[in-house]
Amino acid sequence: MTISYNSSLQKHMHIWISIPLCFIYLVSILGNCTILFIIKTEPSLHEPMYLFLSMLAVTDLGLSLCTLPTVLGIFWIGARDIGHDACFAQLFFIHCLSFLESSVLLSMAFDRFVAICRPLHYASILTNTVIGRIGLASLGRSVALIFPLPFMLKRFPYCGSPVLSHSYCLHQEVMKLACADIKANSVYGMFVIVSTVGIDSLLILFSYALILRTVLSIASRAERFKALNTCVSHICAVLLFYTPMIGLSVIHRFGKQGSHLVQVIMGFVYLLFPPLMNPIVYSVKTKQIRDRVTHAFCC
């Protein structure tokens, strides 16, 4: 039994859509690989801030690779069917990496909090051991929460020929294709979102409230600007991630009468935009990375 992807576009349009999609994937993969290469090869970047950035790049790289086969398969060769097991595996990795990215963004907010509010204790608090434990804890939380989802979906019967609106599998959409009571899945899905994205976003907001209070207490205007400027890249990354994720969740849960095109566009923005823009934002706003990128491509 297979699940099909909906495509209301004419086939001759697929090739024109596949060109920008292919470009987005190419830039995303090259951009995140470049960030990882620079951080690995430059000893001066082996600091907590850049180690967390490397975690973000790995997560974005994973998200790009998770959706690439089905998205380009549809628009390149018209492969619109996917087996149930492959679909469940894809949604496991998509959701796991998405919630892992949320954890990494929270870790980066904690890094900025310590750097600005506790600068004298920065090196002693964020040691390599602590950073490693934070990474493992973030990964463990994501895997533990998402692991039950494929098995909860697998037990359902699926009537007729199920059709997805997106070019990849998401739990909130696949569960609606089941010919059974999906209340348990809906409640558990809401619990996962609240316990990850909900808590993480509140803690990030709380971190920046403390950062802002500390910054406003600095007498020098130049020093205040310098401290806030170190947070700009992270704030951009947070907005790039949470805005489309929250928007897509709202559309799936409450926008039943909404436009199908809006769902499709939000789906692409949710998974393609952060991996594309994060390397660009950090390359532009972070002097050390910008200088290394410029040196690499100009020499």
Side-chain angles (χ1 to χ4, degrees):
M1 191 174 182
T2 60
I3 295 175
S4 299
Y5 300 106
N6 184 24
S7 179
S8 56
L9 298 168
Q10 297 297 323
K11 288 186 176 180
H12 71 272
M13 292 294 294
H14 283 195
I15 186 63
W16 297 108
I17 297 174
S18 69
I19 293 173
L21 285 176
C22 186
F23 176 76
I24 289 173
Y25 276 115
L26 183 63
V27 173
S28 299
I29 293 171
L30 288 178
N32 285 292
C33 285
T34 300
I35 294 290
L36 289 171
F37 177 76
I38 289 173
I39 293 174
K40 178 178 173 55
T41 56
E42 181 56 51
S44 65
L45 299 182
H46 294 176
E47 298 177 0
M49 174 182 173
Y50 301 105
L51 294 179
F52 285 125
L53 177 57
S54 67
M55 293 183 192
L56 183 67
V58 169
T59 306
D60 283 337
L61 194 58
L63 278 172
S64 296
L65 295 176
C66 278
T67 57
L68 187 148
T70 52
V71 172
L72 294 187
I74 291 171
F75 292 103
W76 273 2
I77 60 177
R80 294 179 54 198
D81 295 333
I82 184 173
H84 275 196
D85 290 339
C87 181
F88 298 155
Q90 185 183 50
L91 71 84
F92 169 79
F93 285 109
I94 287 175
H95 289 300
C96 188
L97 289 168
S98 294
F99 295 135
L100 177 59
E101 180 150 345
S102 179
S103 298
V104 172
L105 290 172
L106 174 59
S107 302
M108 297 173 82
F110 178 66
D111 168 78
R112 291 298 83 208
F113 164 75
V114 176
I116 294 173
C117 301
R118 300 289 187 274
L120 298 179
H121 301 93
Y122 183 69
S124 61
I125 293 175
L126 288 174
T127 63
N128 288 342
T129 301
V130 170
I131 293 171
R133 288 175 180 173
I134 290 174
L136 288 175
S138 300
L139 179 60
R141 185 186 72 162
S142 300
V143 172
L145 289 172
I146 302 302
F147 188 75
L149 292 184
F151 300 99
M152 295 174 72
L153 292 170
K154 196 175 180 66
R155 64 189 175 90
F156 289 139
Y158 294 89
C159 306
S161 301
V163 178
L164 297 171
S165 60
H166 299 297
S167 303
Y168 45 81
C169 298
L170 294 175
H171 172 257
Q172 58 264 44
E173 185 176 19
V174 174
M175 70 177 183
K176 294 179 182 178
L177 303 178
C179 301
D181 183 9
I182 61 171
K183 185 177 180 180
N185 282 62
S186 182
V187 171
Y188 183 73
M190 181 62 71
F191 164 75
V192 170
I193 291 175
V194 171
S195 61
T196 53
V197 175
I199 293 177
D200 291 350
S201 57
L202 288 176
L203 289 175
I204 290 172
L205 189 62
F206 179 66
S207 297
Y208 273 102
L210 296 177
I211 289 172
L212 188 60
R213 187 183 68 175
T214 301
V215 169
L216 292 177
S217 67
I218 299 174
S220 170
R221 183 176 180 180
E223 289 299 319
R224 289 201 300 267
F225 178 79
K226 182 179 179 181
L228 287 174
N229 194 48
T230 63
C231 301
V232 171
S233 299
H234 179 253
I235 293 172
C236 290
V238 168
L239 293 176
L240 286 169
F241 176 76
Y242 284 108
T243 303
M245 172 180 266
I246 293 172
L248 187 63
S249 297
V250 169
I251 288 173
H252 273 291
R253 291 189 178 274
F254 307 110
K256 296 181 180 179
Q257 305 301 321
S259 168
H260 170 69
L261 181 61
V262 173
Q263 288 189 22
V264 173
I265 293 174
M266 283 299 296
F268 279 126
V269 172
Y270 161 53
L271 285 182
L272 300 185
F273 208 56
L276 171 69
M277 294 304 299
N278 283 339
I280 296 174
V281 168
Y282 274 93
S283 296
V284 171
K285 294 299 297 180
T286 309
K287 183 179 184 300
Q288 294 88 333
I289 293 179
R290 183 174 67 247
D291 292 343
R292 288 286 292 153
V293 170
T294 303
H295 177 77
F297 286 97
C298 292
C299 294

